[in-house]
Amino acid sequence: MARPRPKSPSAARERLAAAAWAMVIAVALWTPAPEAPPEWGWWSWLGELAAAGGDKVVHALLFGVQAWLLCRWRPGAPTGAWLGWCLALTIAYGGMTEAVQAALGGRTAELGDLVADAVGAGIGVAAFAWRRGRLPPLR
């Protein structure tokens, strides 16, 4: 009989953080874009970055954080299978966001965005694994 896995005292908080970040991604990517960019104030650099094609960087950052947060769900040392699932789930969520964007007015789905999502997810999982000692240190 398998022993039950010990529960982390912060497991609920970690799951809530991953779910909340998924909602941040949904709001950011599914809110119809305005016809004219708003005055961003001190956030103007973000609008300028997106206008210059830097939206790929934003996608990579969003999904890198999501992958990192998903990796934290499981207490203890991460296994390769767990890291693979986190990567696959994050990329699948990226694909879903692109599919929803295709149906929204004012938004477009781009293969480049999905690639940026996948790259960000890979970086997030790799950073998590490296931090937990599952990958050799960079020299």
Side-chain angles (χ1 to χ4, degrees):
M1 187 162 139
R3 291 184 349 189
R5 193 176 287 151
K7 298 232 184 226
S8 168
S10 62
R13 191 176 34 207
E14 291 165 355
R15 290 183 173 110
L16 180 62
W21 191 255
M23 293 301 291
V24 166
I25 291 173
V27 169
L29 299 182
W30 297 345
T31 303
E35 292 297 322
E39 287 297 321
W40 290 68
W42 67 276
W43 281 79
S44 62
W45 64 272
L46 189 58
E48 293 168 11
L49 179 68
D55 67 322
K56 306 305 183 245
V57 173
V58 173
H59 275 263
L61 286 172
L62 288 172
F63 286 90
V65 170
Q66 183 66 49
W68 176 281
L69 291 171
L70 279 178
C71 288
R72 293 176 48 124
W73 274 34
R74 185 170 187 219
T79 63
W82 176 252
L83 296 175
W85 274 108
C86 292
L87 180 64
L89 287 172
T90 305
I91 293 171
Y93 185 53
M96 186 184 74
T97 63
E98 292 304 312
V100 170
Q101 281 184 339
L104 293 176
R107 292 286 185 173
T108 59
E110 297 179 19
L111 180 60
D113 287 347
L114 181 58
V115 170
D117 299 344
V119 168
I123 291 170
V125 168
F128 177 84
W130 177 70
R131 172 108 183 177
R132 292 288 179 101
R134 293 282 301 169
L135 292 177
L138 302 174
R139 293 183 189 217

